[in-house]
Amino acid sequence: AQSVTQLDSHVSVSEGTPVLLRCNYSSSYSPSLFWYVQHPNKGLQLLLKYTSAATLVKGINGFEAEFKKSETSFHLTKPSAHMSDAAEYFCVVSPSGGSYIPTFGRGTSLIVHP
Amino acid sequence: SQTIHQWPATLVQPVGSPLSLECTVEGTSNPNLYWYRQAAGRGLQLLFYSVGIGQISSEVPQNLSASRPQDRQFILSSKKLLLSDSGFYLCAWGGGGPNTGELFFGEGSRLTVL
């Protein structure tokens, strides 16, 4: 079985400073990993995905994530936060063994101060 | 391109009244379909998923039900709403296979039960 742990429920940064949202996963196989963003009262939008190609994955809006198998991590980063980045972020691992249910982390709320 | 439509966007219903939320997908065939719920300040809770017409899997026992009368239509229903049914409901579709974690979400339906 797989699991996802988002290590911070809230992250607070100032505009223009770097963003780091942490995600650790547990999986008995080589997983696909995803980051989603959800703005208030909106659906989730895919930011980026890792599917066993390059370990450094670039996504939309300047975000990127690095897959580190040795650390079982898939942290999301951005060099410079913008006010519009304030949202909820979810780390997701694809299912295994014929399941159709991806596993979502509990989410990290990113707060951006002016 | 694929699109997903979900309605209504908001609704306020009295306790004991029925519910019907509808979701349709365009531009793809035989998608995996999902209903999630978010309570205020909480993560995503998977309610139902479907891998084909008439095939519904329930993840959480509750007074809600789901149906898939057509390939790209997914309906969430209740005969009698409870206060605890309030929340933000999200429909999503996915293509399955190695990218089963890649989901495309609707804009959500906010339900308030009074």
Side-chain angles (χ1 to χ4, degrees):
Chain A
Q2 63 274 9
S3 66
V4 174
T5 302
Q6 291 186 241
L7 298 165
D8 305 291
S9 59
H10 297 85
V11 170
S12 183
V13 301
S14 297
E15 191 175 20
T17 64
V19 175
L20 170 64
L21 305 183
R22 299 182 293 168
C23 172
N24 285 105
Y25 70 93
S26 173
S27 178
S28 58
Y29 65 104
S30 183
S32 294
L33 293 158
F34 308 81
W35 275 100
Y36 289 84
V37 60
Q38 183 184 27
H39 289 91
N41 296 310
K42 296 290 186 182
L44 279 71
Q45 179 185 19
L46 182 68
L47 269 180
L48 49 78
K49 62 182 178 181
Y50 166 76
T51 54
S52 75
T55 56
L56 182 62
V57 181
K58 295 187 182 299
I60 62 173
N61 300 334
F63 284 94
E64 61 182 37
E66 186 171 8
F67 173 72
K68 292 187 177 180
K69 186 176 181 178
S70 61
E71 299 176 10
T72 61
S73 69
F74 190 57
H75 301 335
L76 182 70
T77 61
K78 182 173 181 178
S80 176
H82 192 273
M83 294 297 292
S84 61
D85 294 328
E88 191 82 13
Y89 292 80
F90 294 92
C91 183
V92 177
V93 62
S94 57
S96 65
S99 169
Y100 298 96
I101 306 172
T103 300
F104 280 74
R106 293 183 64 83
T108 298
S109 179
L110 176 63
I111 301 162
V112 182
H113 299 285
Chain B
S1 63
Q2 303 91 351
T3 56
I4 179 169
H5 303 281
Q6 186 180 341
W7 70 93
T10 60
L11 64 166
V12 180
Q13 296 284 99
V15 169
S17 64
L19 171 73
S20 180
L21 300 179
E22 190 164 341
C23 172
T24 59
V25 181
E26 297 177 357
T28 188
S29 60
N30 197 30
N32 295 335
L33 295 172
Y34 304 81
W35 277 112
Y36 288 89
R37 177 171 63 196
Q38 273 183 310
R42 306 283 297 276
L44 288 167
Q45 179 186 36
L46 179 62
L47 301 175
F48 302 93
Y49 71 94
S50 171
V51 299
I53 296 174
Q55 301 178 57
I56 307 296
S57 297
S58 174
E59 291 298 301
V60 182
Q62 60 214 319
N63 71 322
L64 300 172
S65 62
S67 62
R68 185 171 177 173
Q70 301 180 45
D71 181 44
R72 291 170 287 178
Q73 184 185 28
F74 205 24
I75 298 171
L76 183 69
S77 304
S78 174
K79 292 182 179 178
K80 289 186 177 181
L81 284 168
L82 306 173
L83 287 173
S84 58
D85 292 323
S86 293
F88 192 52
Y89 290 80
L90 289 160
C91 179
W93 75 270
N99 285 323
T100 301
E102 184 171 3
L103 300 180
F104 301 89
F105 286 82
E107 286 294 292
S109 298
R110 182 158 305 279
L111 170 65
T112 303
V113 182
L114 301 176

